[in-house]
Structure formats: structure tokens, C-alpha cells
Amino acid sequence: MISRVYIFDTTLRDGEQSPGVSLSVEDKKEIARALERLRVDVIEAGFPVASPGDFEGVKAIAETVKDVQVAALARANPKDIDVAWEAIKGAATPRIHTFIATSDIHLQYKLRKSREEVLALAVEAVKYAKRYTPIVEFSAEDATRSDWDYLAEVVVAVTKAGAVTINIPDTVGYTVPQEYYELIRHLVEALKKADLYHLFEEGKVCFSVHCHNDLGLAVANSLSALLAGARQVECTINGIGERAGNAALEEIVMALKTRQDYFARVLGQPLETRIDTRQIVPTSQLVSRLTGMIVQPNKAIVGANAFAHESGIHAHGVIMHRGTYEIMDPKEVGWTGSAIVLGKHSGRHAVRFKLESRGWKLSDEDLSRIFERFRQEIKDVLRAVADEYLEGVLLDEFLGEEYRYVVSAAYVSSLYGAPLNPLAQVQVLDREYGAKKAIQVGVGSVDAAFKAVAQALGYRFLGKEDKEPVSDHDLRLVDFHIDAVGKGTESLGVCGVVIEDYQGQRSAGLGKDYDIVAAGIKALINALNRLEAYRSKGEELKRKLAAKAA
Ligand code: KIV
Ligand code: ZN
């Protein structure tokens, strides 16, 4: 038995069939190039007969990529196969993938054909496709709900007709790992009985698996089929696909790599793919961006939280040794590293680690003060927070008394629905130079208010048209968010703001108010106070605290 597992990516065919997804030809080419860099073995580029757009997409991909096979899907009839060939004939290595359903429910209600008729159509389709290319794959749609002996008959017949890959799809995500294992073994036995086993053993005929995720078992079923002898896995980036999706490529590849020991123990040899795993995250992000299908944060391998640790015990473990809570190196799949994120569940170790990574060395006593203050500050914040919020708390603790600005009045008038822009008037008490006022209009209330604060204090927010800061008074708004704490219209608005100055120095501030514009103004003033305190006394404070800690 060969140890090589072939990765057949169907993101651009089954993945593109996800509700709401529609890719342009350019998008498809960009994804195909990314899949080529990822080093998948086969790209299923589409279903050319489905529409002129599909045809164009497949043709363009076939002519774009070189170091990967390009497959086109076709039902088991000459017209589909002719069109599929027309679309992929320009590929360096073209593959025709023809299919017909084999389950009784599909035969009776969809195809309205007998088992004998379907068997004959399957054989004819394979023979017909072989006239174009030696690389012909046959799929028995809804294989897992088909009669096993009839399915075995079809498998033997299409093998004799010349199919080199025989796909056993779990079209409706119905099977479970042990059952799927037994089904693949049953089909291998059928090849033995038909005296075709040598083809399977030598890798000249390959069983492929194609699992849908209706019961959340697509990856587990695919891995089980590999243990039974399948050597091609059909999968999609981020697991996108019809209904609950297809088996996720990244999960299969990383399961094979991370648990190589297990597969080697059971099979007597490790299973290998040729995937460049460092391309996984960039490819996932590209597919998510172009399809508009957001990757859930807790998605294995590619979700934003897949290598993020917030809770005290876990963050401590990872700081001491990554292996305590991580079974893969995030860099291996294309992330920049593990992320210790700060939030409500953060412990002292994470707080110390974050401050040290920003150059702050603290005594145990000072660390305790900052830790308590930080917990208090973010108790109403519903999300993980940027590291700058922690640094801001430290500045509040040691330099807060000297902060320069206090919001003394803010008035924002918004005439919604009128053709007028919102107007904001603010008054800030500058402890050095007295009260400062400004009035600004903006595209929205927050925009007007932030522009007014900036103007009053001699700053300017960079607009869309400003690429780079041109003066030391220029600021960029890096992040702005509001969470509603409590229920209903009377909930408290908690606003977080991160700004960046002309030197790239970042500062974060929080503001709370029942009025969200007021919460925003407070957050901005908080961030500006911290920024100015850091600029004038930050380095000196670092030295003082480090001396105390020594
Ligand atoms: O799910 C399925 O059965 C398919 C086939 C066309 C391979 O997508
Ligand atoms: Zn499918």
C-alpha cells in the first residue's frame, strides 16, 4: 500500500456551491494560484456544463496553474463530458471527474432509473471520458446510502472500464467513522474478489473519499477511510461547501501531520501529503475574504482563537512552555505565533508577560497593583483587549495624577434625516493652558466629536486620503468599538479607542457612558492623556520601576 495521500481540493466546485457564494473568474484564478502554492494535488475547478460562467472559470484556471492537476466535474453523459473536456483541455494535467448516484432513493426519485441502467451509464461515462484523458475519476454519488453489494458491483465495473480514482462520497454527511471504514474495506474486498486487487495495491487505482459535514463528522470520517485504504481525500479550505460544508482541508492535513505517529503505528507507515502547511492560514484568509464566508473564531487551525490563550492557567502554561496547551506550532500553519490575549480571564502571569514584552519590569507589589486595576478597568469589556489597554492602566496608576486633559463639556447635535451633518461642540480643560473649545461637523456624531476634540487640543485625525502622517500632531484611529453592557435601551456604552501617533506609538483608552458619543469622547481623552504621559515620562518611569524591581 502506498503511503502518499492525495489532496483533492474542491473549494472552487463544492465550496463554491455554498449558499450565497459567487466568485468572479479573477477571484477563482487567485484562489487557484493560492491552492497551487499550498501544493494540493488536484484542484476541482468547477462544473463546466452548469453555466457559461462556470465554464469560463474552469478554463481560466486550467490555463493559469501548472504544478497541479485540474479537474472538471461532469454528470455521466457525453454532453457533460464533452463540455468538461473543452474547459480543461488546456491544463498541464487535466482530470475528468464524472459521477452518477447509486443509492436507491436517488435512483427512484431523481434519476428514475434502474440499478442496471445506472451501472451501464457509469461504465459508458468512464469509457467515454477515457477517450479524452487517462486521468478519469468516477464518483458514486450518495455512496454511503447505497446498497453495499450494488455499490461494489459499480466499483468493479468502473475499475474495469478504466477509472483510476473511485470516489465514495458521503454526499449527505450520513455515515459514521466505523461504518465508513467498513464500507471502504468491503469495496477493497470486492476488488480482490474480481482479481483487481493488484491495481489497488500498486496505487494504479485509488479510493477517494468525499465527506459532507451534516453531522459534524466529515473530517473524522475521512481519516477513518484513510485507515481503511483510501488514499485521496476531497476537501475544501475552511470546510466550506453545501449545507454544513465539506471536510476541512486544513484539519485533515494537520491531523495527518500532528498524529503521524498514530497512523504509522496502525498502518505500519506514516501517511504523507505534499502540502506546504505554512500556506494554510494565508489561503484560508484569502478564501474567506473572496467568498465572504467568515471563519468562526474557534475554528480548528485557522480560526482567530485557534492559538490564542486568555485564561490564567492556560496562558501561564503557554508562557512557560508552548507545548503545555498547544499540539501544533502555529508558525507551521502560517500564523506568526501563539497569542496570549488579554481579557477578563487573564491572570498575573499573562499581565507580567505582556508588560515585560513592552519593556516594563515590575516588582511583585507593583505588579499586583496593576493587575488589580486592570481587572477592575476591563470588567465591563466584553472582548479580548489590545495590549495597549494594559500599558494604559499602568500609566494611570503612576502618572494619572498628572494627566493634562479633562472633558469639561461636550454637546453633540445630530439632526437625523435632515440634509445637515452632525455638529459637535466640546470643551476640554487643559491643565496647562486652560479651557479649550472647538466645534466641528462630521459624517456622523462620533466623527464630529472626535474631530472637535482633536481640534481643541491641536491634533488632527488622518482621513482616508492621508496615507502617512505629515506632522507630529497627526493621529490615526486604529480601533474603535462599543459594547453595550446590560440589557435594553438603557444599557451602558463601553467604548474602546486605540490611536497611533506619527512615530507609531499606540495608546488605548476606555470610556463608559449611557450616551455612546460621550463614551467615545471619554475614551479618546483617556487615550490622549496616556499618549502624552508616555511620550514625556514613559521611559523615565520604566527605569524607575525597573530599579525598584531589581
Ligand atoms: O457530494 C457529492 O456526492 C459530490 C459529488 C459530485 C462528488 O459532490
Ligand atoms: Zn459534495
Side-chain angles (χ1 to χ4, degrees), residues 13-14 210 212 246:
R13 200 277 298 168
D14 228 350
H210 175 115
H212 281 266
N246 289 56

Side-chain angles (χ1 to χ4, degrees), residues 10 13-14 17 169-171 210-212 234 242 246:
T10 183
R13 200 277 298 168
D14 228 350
Q17 286 173 218
D170 185 26
T171 304
H210 175 115
C211 296
H212 281 266
E234 306 198 354
E242 297 249 17
N246 289 56

